[in-house]
Amino acid sequence: GAVVSQHPSRVICKSGTSVKIECRSLDFQATTMFWYRQFPKQSLMLMATSNEGSKATYEQGVEKDKFLINHASLTLSTLTVTSAHPEDSSFYICSARRQGNGYEQYFGPGTRLTVT
Amino acid sequence: ILNVEQSPQSLHVQEGDSTNFTCSFPSSNFYALHWYRWETAKSPEALFVMTLNGDEKKKGRISATLNTKEGYSYLYIKGSQPEDSATYLCAFFRTDKLIFGTGTRLQVFP
């Protein structure tokens, strides 16, 4: 149990376009989902926390208009990178916390975004 | 700024060797420490959630200890196997968030 999928696993897009990444909890309900970003040789950095049915909470320095997060149901959260630029190229990974399960977070496999 | 440090950055061992690595974290206001194992192209897999000073947890050949007073945790792998090759991440839990270290990349050679 506690499987999280993420789609797509890799995406290449042109500068100025928008890209949507989906994060799904497959066998549990996730009240809270998290979006992380990882630059080469760095740690996973939390971008935002989303709770089902409410607005996401963004970490300092993360532009909420650029990284749109929607958590429309207990099993799906989406991250849309709007008007992507080459500096948005990165590895994005989501995690989900099971309803009533305390601290544990279950991760998706991540999405490699390349903006040309 | 909360810093979570992991050492070494990478490690190469022979099959059968035992190994250990360290995670250092702030010792004040401790709540929980997580260990994850992350194989390439897969999802990070939760290994342990440690909450009490002196905690020792075990899962097969992998075990972890926790010292919250001095702010460190050790992860041990006994008799490493090639399938143990992965990046091992620790994450400090504070104010409902996980703060990750950069990981220790372990490569086990047959």
Side-chain angles (χ1 to χ4, degrees):
Chain A
V3 179
V4 176
S5 71
Q6 206 172 320
H7 178 80
S9 56
R10 286 182 176 273
V11 58
I12 300 171
C13 71
K14 291 196 171 162
S15 209
T17 62
S18 294
V19 173
K20 184 188 276 190
I21 302 168
E22 289 189 351
C23 177
R24 288 181 189 274
S25 55
L26 297 185
D27 51 3
F28 66 99
Q29 293 191 322
T31 44
T32 306
M33 286 182 164
F34 303 86
W35 287 96
Y36 296 83
R37 181 174 180 176
Q38 186 184 37
F39 291 106
K41 300 197 177 180
Q42 293 190 25
S43 55
L44 295 177
M45 298 295 293
L46 181 65
M47 297 174 67
T49 303
S50 77
N51 291 296
E52 184 262 337
S54 60
K55 284 185 184 178
T57 304
Y58 289 82
E59 294 301 299
Q60 197 170 9
V62 178
E63 297 174 60
K64 61 182 181 187
D65 294 331
K66 178 150 191 73
F67 298 101
L68 299 179
I69 290 169
N70 186 288
H71 191 161
S73 77
L74 283 172
T75 59
L76 174 64
S77 176
T78 59
L79 167 69
T80 302
V81 183
T82 62
S83 186
H85 287 108
E87 56 266 29
D88 299 325
S89 298
S90 192
F91 185 77
Y92 294 87
I93 189 167
C94 70
S95 70
R97 189 153 69 201
R98 200 191 332 224
Q99 202 168 23
N101 196 45
Y103 325 122
E104 287 202 49
Q105 290 184 26
Y106 303 95
F107 282 82
T111 296
R112 171 74 58 193
L113 169 65
T114 304
V115 184
T116 59
Chain B
I1 295 174
L2 292 174
N3 251 348
V4 179
E5 308 271 350
Q6 285 188 254
S7 63
Q9 257 187 343
S10 66
L11 201 50
H12 299 91
V13 301
Q14 286 294 129
E15 183 175 355
D17 286 351
S18 292
T19 186
N20 66 84
F21 17 95
T22 308
C23 172
S24 303
F25 51 85
S27 55
S28 59
N29 299 321
F30 179 83
Y31 204 63
L33 186 86
H34 295 232
W35 279 101
Y36 287 87
R37 174 192 142 95
W38 194 3
E39 288 181 73
T40 305
K42 294 190 179 176
S43 304
E45 173 202 348
L47 287 174
F48 306 112
V49 179
M50 308 186 78
T51 55
L52 297 174
N53 185 42
D55 238 358
E56 182 165 344
K57 296 208 172 182
K58 196 172 175 182
K59 193 174 184 174
R61 292 178 292 99
I62 305 178
S63 60
T65 60
L66 180 69
N67 183 323
T68 60
K69 293 184 193 241
E70 293 179 46
Y72 64 83
S73 176
Y74 292 138
L75 191 82
Y76 299 92
I77 303 179
K78 190 176 173 183
S80 305
Q81 299 296 308
E83 57 264 31
D84 296 328
S85 298
T87 297
Y88 291 83
L89 296 173
C90 70
F92 179 72
F93 185 81
R94 169 76 67 84
T95 56
D96 211 33
K97 300 172 194 175
L98 286 178
I99 300 154
F100 282 87
T102 48
T104 292
R105 188 178 172 87
L106 173 68
Q107 196 118 8
V108 182
F109 294 105

